[in-house]
Amino acid sequence: MSRLSRKIKEYNEKLSEEKAQPLTACVKTFGCQMNEHDSEKIKGMLINMGYDIVPDYSVTGSGSIPDVIVFNTCCVRENAEDKIFGQLGAVKGAKRLKPELIVVVLGCMTEQEWVVERIKKSYRHVDLVLGTGNTYRLPEYMAARIFEGRRVIGAESEDSVPEGVPMLRDDKFKAYVTVMYGCDNFCSYCIVPYVRGRERSRKADDIIDEVKALVQSGAKEVMLLGQNVNSYGKGKSGDGTDFASLIRRVARETGIARVRFMTSHPKDLSPELIRAIAEEPAICAQLHLPVQSGSTSELKRMNRKYTREKYLDLVSEVRKMIPDVTLSTDIMIGFPGETEEEFADTLSLLEEVRFDAAFTFIYSKRQGTPAASWTDQVPAEIVNERFARLVETQNRISREKNEALEGKALSVLVEGPSRTDPSRLTGRTEGNKVVNFDVDAAVLNERGLNKPEAGDIVPVKITRAETWSLEGVYYGKNAEDP
Ligand code: SAH
Ligand code: SF4
Ligand code: F3S
């Protein structure tokens, strides 16, 4: 624990004795897996500073207002930002009721000049604003606020590769492990490269050590995270290991049962990585490969650096090497200048590839990106109509892909009781599909088997498909032949 964290903790311990109750902190997370994982680190740092983590807060009664509220923000689309400003405004009342409340804003949004200005002017109840590259310095900022009463807004962020940050992991069996930070791709619609900084990689040995420690504490699955994992090791900070070699090392050297990753960019999905997925039993046969559009002309304007044909070739290569691969993608609708023909190309690509799942987004104008200044924005009615057709097409395909799994036995990492029916269990397949399943008690009894528990990897026979999940039953060791 850092010296500063210890100092804050000692101070907080006295305070909590005086108040005769523990000091609490709540972290609100918006955005992608990167942010979810950053929040695990933020919680770890807050615990070291003497706070108990609470899952939620109320802005109405002083009794339930925590001592610290942290907003870990996302700005990839405008609606995320609007929602965050709304919640930030609502906290103003809580601060009136409890003036000692410390409000912290960090994450991607705060890397934009205009956001910092707006917080300075109109959100005066915010105490601390940090960027994506200096989150690990939270204890310094907290010390400035606690010991000097200072408000620190918008200090310079840096392109860091912090190691040794404490973490409170949300899940014992499944863990996120960041392998690289930042993005250098500059797709013409996307704000991520501006708010997450330049690409930089962690050392392979640090990653291996982290996964080994996770395995020791019971983890069964890790997801290696990076905005563009195929650039792993290529930047200045790399140690010469490329992503395919890294993931092979994770699969072979750590004893982890399952490893998956997000996200690789189609322009540099290497044959070595495809081969690694095909060959290493621990690497899940699953790939998230965002296509964005099925139209070569639109892809060119998006600055994606591949064509429709190149993408389709990649998919057939992947399917040839990994026949049972689960494929998912991201699609964007309403990119500036999108014509009906270009949209039709996207729809036909969905039919041709038949993804298991697609995350579909409506284009959102992001200040500072090249596409924001283009004048041929697509009218909302057209975008909405296209979006509905897209979702309808993909939902049908997703359901058909799931139906094709009926009758098969799949290996499932058990997460625990199903949320909707606690007598059943829920878990995920290698393809990362949710399976809700029954356990046949009579059969278990007869075979002398225990009911599976969270963290077990068991065969489940798929009995029925839904659009976004599967239903199944666990019979024991041999689900093929119940
Ligand atoms: N680095 C990842 C994606 C990060 S953002 C990758 O390139 O695959 C996740 C998704 O958000 C993107 O794939 C894209 O489909 C969507 N997205 C990014 N910028 C957007 C914008 N301005 N409007 C709407 N969707 C956007
Ligand atoms: Fe954004 Fe493109 Fe980078 Fe993904 S690869 S984060 S879409 S700029
Ligand atoms: Fe993720 Fe949103 Fe930032 S998608 S990288 S949290 S802008």
Side-chain angles (χ1 to χ4, degrees):
M1 196 193 302
S2 76
R3 195 183 48 80
L4 213 46
S5 297
R6 190 164 302 127
K7 189 174 162 199
I8 298 172
K9 188 174 182 172
E10 282 163 10
Y11 175 87
N12 278 343
E13 274 168 358
K14 268 196 218 117
L15 205 63
S16 107
E17 253 171 55
E18 282 165 25
K19 290 184 165 188
Q21 61 184 35
L23 296 197
T24 57
C26 179
V27 181
K28 280 284 180 193
T29 311
F30 304 83
C32 63
Q33 287 90 351
M34 288 278 181
N35 263 21
E36 279 177 38
H37 186 40
D38 285 347
S39 285
E40 295 182 326
K41 299 179 189 168
I42 294 160
K43 289 176 203 164
M45 289 188 274
L46 287 165
I47 289 173
N48 278 1
M49 289 182 257
Y51 296 97
D52 283 1
I53 304 299
V54 291
D56 217 338
Y57 63 86
S58 137
V59 289
T60 49
S62 64
S64 51
I65 299 171
D67 297 279
V68 181
I69 301 179
V70 180
F71 288 91
N72 187 11
T73 63
C74 170
C75 56
V76 77
R77 283 169 289 275
E78 196 177 358
N79 52 8
E81 266 177 5
D82 291 347
K83 192 165 140 195
I84 293 163
F85 273 124
Q87 294 199 14
L88 208 50
V91 166
K92 206 178 267 182
K95 184 107 172 183
R96 232 175 276 129
L97 291 169
K98 183 171 179 172
E100 71 272 28
L101 165 67
I102 301 174
V103 182
V104 186
V105 185
L106 41 73
C108 294
M109 246 172 104
T110 61
E111 291 284 344
Q112 304 170 92
E113 202 63 50
W114 71 270
V115 172
V116 173
E117 286 311 309
R118 188 161 159 192
I119 291 176
K120 268 189 194 157
K121 267 205 215 106
S122 315
Y123 295 80
R124 300 201 56 83
H125 58 292
V126 172
D127 296 279
L128 305 172
V129 172
L130 287 84
T132 54
N134 60 354
T135 311
Y136 73 98
R137 289 171 60 185
L138 183 63
E140 288 168 45
Y141 281 63
M142 290 289 286
R145 171 63 181 75
I146 293 171
F147 301 123
E148 300 162 33
R150 277 201 289 137
R151 189 176 179 231
V152 192
I153 308 287
E156 279 295 296
S157 190
E158 61 212 90
D159 280 356
S160 55
V161 186
E163 291 295 339
V165 181
M167 276 179 229
L168 174 67
R169 304 242 181 212
D170 292 336
D171 196 304
K172 178 166 182 246
F173 304 109
K174 285 201 309 188
Y176 292 130
V177 174
T178 306
V179 301
M180 60 158 322
Y181 301 88
C183 179
D184 289 354
N185 283 331
F186 291 95
C187 302
S188 59
Y189 51 80
C190 184
I191 199 161
V192 171
Y194 305 89
V195 298
R196 284 274 175 182
R198 297 291 59 76
E199 288 177 356
R200 56 231 187 252
S201 303
R202 291 179 66 197
K203 304 262 176 290
D205 287 341
D206 289 335
I207 295 164
I208 298 293
D209 288 347
E210 184 177 340
V211 179
K212 279 184 181 163
L214 282 164
V215 171
Q216 284 262 305
S217 60
K220 294 294 168 62
E221 178 178 313
V222 291
M223 183 182 273
L224 306 183
L225 291 181
Q227 288 298 349
N228 181 20
V229 290
N230 246 44
S231 299
Y232 171 80
K234 289 189 181 149
K236 289 193 290 291
S237 60
D239 64 1
T241 312
D242 64 10
F243 186 68
S245 316
L246 174 77
I247 197 166
R248 275 200 199 261
R249 282 193 62 189
V250 172
R252 288 179 184 177
E253 295 175 22
T254 64
I256 192 80
R258 282 179 166 186
V259 48
R260 53 175 101 244
F261 58 93
M262 264 183 100
T263 302
S264 56
H265 191 297
K267 81 171 177 356
D268 43 23
L269 173 65
S270 67
E272 290 75 24
L273 179 56
I274 302 175
R275 206 170 311 125
I277 306 172
E279 290 173 0
E280 297 294 335
I283 304 179
C284 293
Q286 177 246 323
L287 186 63
H288 181 65
L289 196 62
V291 65
Q292 313 300 352
S293 164
S295 149
T296 296
S297 50
E298 195 172 30
L299 286 168
K300 192 160 182 0
R301 295 201 302 286
M302 288 176 166
N303 194 29
R304 291 289 290 181
K305 303 192 178 83
Y306 53 87
T307 59
R308 173 192 177 92
E309 290 67 34
K310 170 83 199 304
Y311 188 90
L312 290 174
D313 286 350
L314 262 181
V315 169
S316 41
E317 192 56 32
V318 168
R319 288 222 165 106
K320 196 168 79 201
M321 300 276 292
I322 321 160
D324 55 351
V325 69
T326 300
L327 264 186
S328 58
T329 199
D330 290 349
I331 307 256
M332 189 186 301
I333 288 300
F335 183 71
E338 183 179 79
T339 62
E340 191 52 37
E341 291 72 46
E342 287 175 335
F343 173 67
D345 280 346
T346 296
L347 270 189
S348 78
L349 182 122
L350 286 188
E351 299 282 6
E352 212 164 311
V353 175
R354 295 178 58 78
F355 294 103
D356 290 86
F359 300 89
T360 46
F361 305 104
I362 289 179
Y363 168 73
S364 167
K365 202 167 157 177
R366 302 287 63 210
Q367 233 179 67
T369 63
S373 59
W374 299 351
T375 49
D376 46 358
Q377 306 281 334
V378 185
E381 325 80 79
I382 297 184
V383 176
N384 291 336
E385 183 266 336
R386 284 181 191 164
F387 191 73
R389 277 155 69 196
L390 182 84
V391 169
E392 194 183 282
T393 304
Q394 183 54 44
N395 284 356
R396 171 178 49 77
I397 296 170
S398 292
R399 176 175 276 275
E400 287 166 0
K401 293 289 284 189
N402 281 348
E403 278 165 0
L405 297 172
E406 285 176 0
K408 294 204 167 149
L410 301 179
S411 104
V412 170
L413 171 56
V414 181
E415 290 177 355
S418 154
R419 226 175 300 155
T420 45
D421 178 357
S423 72
R424 309 181 77 206
L425 291 171
T426 188
R428 288 200 182 237
T429 66
E430 213 184 302
N432 221 6
K433 295 188 178 192
V434 174
V435 186
N436 295 305
F437 61 99
D438 294 307
V439 177
D440 189 327
V443 176
L444 288 195
N445 232 348
E446 193 181 295
R447 297 186 184 184
L449 293 165
N450 293 328
K451 188 174 171 183
E453 287 177 1
D456 289 346
I457 297 178
V458 297
V460 172
K461 183 161 175 167
I462 304 306
T463 51
R464 198 161 58 85
E466 305 278 352
T467 306
W468 293 288
S469 66
L470 301 165
E471 302 283 308
V473 58
Y474 169 73
Y475 291 100
K477 289 279 172 272
N478 192 357
E480 288 284 12
D481 180 25

